[in-house]
Amino acid sequence: MSPASVFVCLSLTLLSDYPVIRVKPDHSGVVTDGVKHSMNPFCEIAVEEAVKLKEKKFIKEVVAVSCGPTQVTETIRTALAMGCDRGIHVEVSGKDYEAMGPLQIAKIFAALAKKEEASLVILGKQAIDDDCNQTGQMTAALLDWPQGTFASEVTIDGEKVKVVREIDGGLETIKISMPAVLTADLRLNTPRYATLPNIMKAKKKKIANMKPADLGVDMVSRVEVLRVDEPPTRLAGVKVETVDDLVAKLKANGTI
Amino acid sequence: YTFPLLTLDSVEMERFADEADVVIVGGGPAGLSAAIRLKQLANEQEKELRVCLVEKASQIGAHTLSGACLEPSALNELFSDWKERGAPLNTPVTEDVFSLLTKKYRIPVPMLPGLPMNNHGNYIVRLGHFVRWLGEQAEELGVEIYPGYAAAEVLFHEDGSVKGIATNDVGIAKDGSPKDVFERGMELHAKVTLFGEGCHGHLAKQLYRQFNLRENCEPQTYAIGLKEVWLIDEKKWRPGRVEHSVGWPLNRNTYGGSFLYHLNEGEPLVALGVVVGLDYTNPYLSPFREFQRWKHHPFIAKTLEGGNRIAYGARALNEGGYQCLPKVTFPGGMLIGCSPGFMNVPKIKGTHTAMKSGMLAAEAIFPKVTAKDLASETAGLHVPEYEDNLKKSWIWKELYSVRNIRPSFHSYFGLYGGMVYTGVFYWILRGKEPWTLKHAGLDSAQLRPAKECTAIEYPKPDGKLSFDLLSSVALSGTNHEGDQPPHLTLKDDSVPVANNLAIYDGPEQRFCPAGVYEYVPLETGEGMRLQINAQNCVHCKTCDIKDPSQNINWVVPEGSGGPAYNGM
């Protein structure tokens, strides 16, 4: 029986590679107003993988899901332009959005996956703004599904999925049964561009709207952010001429 | 560095095409005002109109950089209820200060009403945020806005009129070969195409040649504006205060000046910067380093001490005014905004005129584009009414009245001559004098050979008030997809070393505000080569303007690349 639908769960992140991020004056977080936001790069890879699986006819339908404020619909549109069939926007805004963490997101994705009877849930391995690397794993646990994380290669083999995982020691190959949760790592694929004609066509694809309450998920956070600070400015290094100098300096500042 | 595209037999070369009524290139004040005006007219008269706007920045406002003191005249005409709609004009000007700086001191110059620099009634804005707001208004009215897509090519009908534009192909590797993700650009066809690329647009360059639009005007002359945003000590913050200066560190024959504006948006932010005329003659001059050392002047330093720099950027701007206005309409299209160049130089304001030009374009096009049976000589609509409307509007009167101020700086007396001329002729006669002074000619032709000039000793950046180039570029948030052909192309690869380096000591190393150009020794030992760090580019266009050999040709990189300005 070929899998019916695949869920790709997206995250909208601050494109934290290059824009200028600064800490809010009250140290409660970073300034996000006006900063460039776009689809999390690992989620782009997840979307690409799902669309590739559909093109190879392993799956019938790809649904792109994301949680967040209205901005998030643009990210879902990009996913639709890359080839997803429809989208679901779970609206979370204001204080709920600021407090939203991997656990709340995982609960939402798990509830949706069950509701829509998904066979595969594919996510990016981590979001580049908080680097948590928890959502995929939590989703699998809540659903009690097997998980293939840090995937660098995915092959569907009947009712099972063969996943090659990137681990510290090298590569690990596992075979898990579906339904399953996968998280995409960097080398899984190179995402295609969302071309302008596809963006225009994506405007006609459906994005359903819902709230966490519709899924029975409570958004209360178990984590409280106490303070956000910038990393301390790196002090200039000191060059020493001889090994004796080095030892003397290390002794002087108490390291040895 | 300019390579021919490898043959693409293996790749699908057909381009998808779509039709709109009007296509606008550029999501800045001019483009967005034109789009908004078109949709306002369409809604008023209950007509259908498809307006598509493409913008190379990843989001509207990300490539926008300006001082800026906005004169709300055009905005009042576009949206009389802009305040209720939440336009981010939060800082009315409360104080206006003008100084002539010497190395250590400051001579105050009275800001009499009637002088062009007087800012009474204006607002200090973060133009990027204002443009973003304009974008939101446009989308609400039904304009289709596509940020992240750069118009790379002008398309022509068989009769030579403009058919529309094509976005650039993506997924091309550094050597010109197609990557796996290669995709052809898309064609957008329109009855009329508006080009609002801002100062020195790359498509406008082609259009000038194609339609001979510049045969009756002087070549455009430019300046480069460098800007930073600082979070200063609250005690020094005076919201609504506008400061301008001329003089130090520029010598009397180098046109330029500075600005420092105190914003009023909750945090003690100031926007400051320096503008240097690109008709400067000394190849050793570095606009970036002039900017950095200007901040050390006691009058400026006292505001910045204890503060933190949070943003940096740069952009070229027009200085030519009335004498340099080209023909702005041609079959199938027209030029709006800073692209043809409506900036009022002594006021240092171009946003209000850019917006008005967009609105006038929209008003001229609308009846023609919605007419039931329009007989047109050319496939692309020619709307010369736009140029007629411009000539009858306040833009023309304004630019005519200040036309002689900028060229008055070209005499032996330089800066002082210009100031005297402004005081005498403009303040008293308001530009009614019967003569029209000329500019000096092409900026790129103004450089004198290096051996005739003295190198300028710039102080090292102190890391507190002044900074080095690379840390500044990092603050612009600029980036480009690494594996793509460099978008700064050379017509002839041998010219930089043979001409620019040999005669002018490589001025591009100094005038580029992003460190794109570096002369590095050849790996083989003897001689130098030009290294182009295209990823640093902030899309200011200065190199295309100032290159003495006019060998550098700026073309648009893959969409979304470039700076990530936030409210600049």
Side-chain angles (χ1 to χ4, degrees), chain B residues 219-223 277-280 317 319 406 410 439-447 545-548 550:
Chain B
Q220 184 66 262
T221 165
Y222 303 87
L278 286 177
D279 57 350
Y280 67 81
L317 47 136
E319 295 267 316
R406 176 70 176 85
H410 289 306
H439 293 290
L442 269 179
D443 289 336
S444 52
Q446 301 304 316
L447 279 182
I545 295 167
K546 190 60 175 169
D547 178 11
Q550 285 290 279

Side-chain angles (χ1 to χ4, degrees), chain B residues 97-110:
Chain B
V97 170
F98 196 93
S99 321
L100 173 56
L101 297 180
T102 62
K103 189 158 182 185
K104 289 209 228 50
Y105 303 106
R106 169 193 167 242
I107 302 167
V109 175

Side-chain angles (χ1 to χ4, degrees), chain A residues 18-41:
Chain A
Y18 358 102
V20 190
I21 299 285
R22 58 187 175 104
V23 175
K24 285 194 197 156
D26 63 359
H27 291 274
S28 63
V30 293
V31 175
T32 55
D33 181 39
V35 180
K36 181 165 139 178
H37 283 67
S38 50
M39 196 191 297
N40 184 35

Side-chain angles (χ1 to χ4, degrees), chain B residues 232-504:
Chain B
I232 56 170
D233 184 345
E234 257 199 80
K235 295 194 268 313
K236 309 193 182 173
W237 183 38
R238 295 160 78 164
R241 181 177 164 90
V242 162
E243 289 176 25
H244 290 114
S245 82
V246 288
W248 190 84
L250 301 173
N251 67 28
R252 71 161 194 270
N253 290 107
T254 303
Y255 183 81
S258 77
F259 64 91
L260 197 155
Y261 304 146
H262 291 245
L263 287 155
N264 189 6
E265 298 193 354
E267 298 180 280
L269 288 178
V270 294
L272 60 143
V274 157
V275 171
V276 178
L278 286 177
D279 57 350
Y280 67 81
T281 54
N282 185 345
Y284 291 106
L285 191 139
S286 161
F288 173 77
R289 301 195 78 173
E290 296 289 350
F291 175 34
Q292 297 303 316
R293 74 168 164 170
W294 163 79
K295 288 187 275 176
H296 284 281
H297 188 281
F299 187 62
I300 310 298
K302 70 176 203 279
T303 306
L304 298 179
E305 254 143 27
N308 257 324
R309 183 176 74 151
I310 62 170
Y312 165 82
R315 183 72 170 91
L317 47 136
N318 304 292
E319 295 267 316
Y322 180 80
Q323 292 89 323
C324 301
L325 287 172
K327 246 171 83 24
V328 290
T329 65
F330 41 89
M334 47 184 65
L335 299 169
I336 55 176
C338 276
S339 183
F342 298 108
M343 196 174 109
N344 180 327
V345 177
K347 267 194 193 174
I348 44 168
K349 291 181 177 49
T351 311
H352 62 308
T353 46
M355 289 175 69
K356 181 67 176 168
S357 72
M359 290 156 63
L360 289 172
E363 285 159 11
I365 298 173
F366 186 74
K368 285 196 144 172
V369 127
T370 51
K372 286 278 158 65
D373 334 283
L374 186 69
S376 172
E377 277 176 10
T378 49
L381 279 183
H382 189 190
V383 191
E385 288 82 353
Y386 164 53
E387 192 151 346
D388 300 331
N389 291 355
L390 273 177
K391 293 192 173 141
K392 295 192 214 123
S393 73
W394 49 258
I395 298 181
W396 216 257
K397 287 194 203 59
E398 206 179 300
L399 292 181
Y400 185 77
S401 71
V402 298
R403 72 195 182 288
N404 284 326
I405 297 185
R406 176 70 176 85
S408 70
F409 283 72
H410 289 306
S411 71
Y412 173 74
F413 298 105
L415 167 67
Y416 307 112
M419 290 180 73
V420 167
Y421 189 96
T422 308
V424 172
F425 288 98
Y426 182 76
W427 194 54
I428 301 174
L429 289 176
R430 296 304 160 87
K432 293 199 180 64
E433 66 269 28
W435 56 83
T436 299
L437 299 173
K438 288 186 123 171
H439 293 290
L442 269 179
D443 289 336
S444 52
Q446 301 304 316
L447 279 182
R448 295 204 337 257
K451 60 182 195 300
E452 291 175 25
C453 305
T454 30
I456 306 180
E457 275 278 326
Y458 289 106
K460 271 179 81 114
D462 73 347
K464 291 208 255 320
L465 284 175
S466 53
F467 302 90
D468 65 294
L469 188 57
L470 290 180
S471 66
S472 308
V473 176
L475 275 185
S476 69
T478 193
N479 198 25
H480 296 85
E481 159 64 47
D483 194 12
Q484 67 171 305
H487 63 280
L488 298 139
T489 63
L490 302 173
K491 293 187 204 154
D492 181 335
D493 287 357
S494 63
V495 164
V497 174
N499 200 35
N500 291 27
L501 185 61
I503 304 179
Y504 303 99

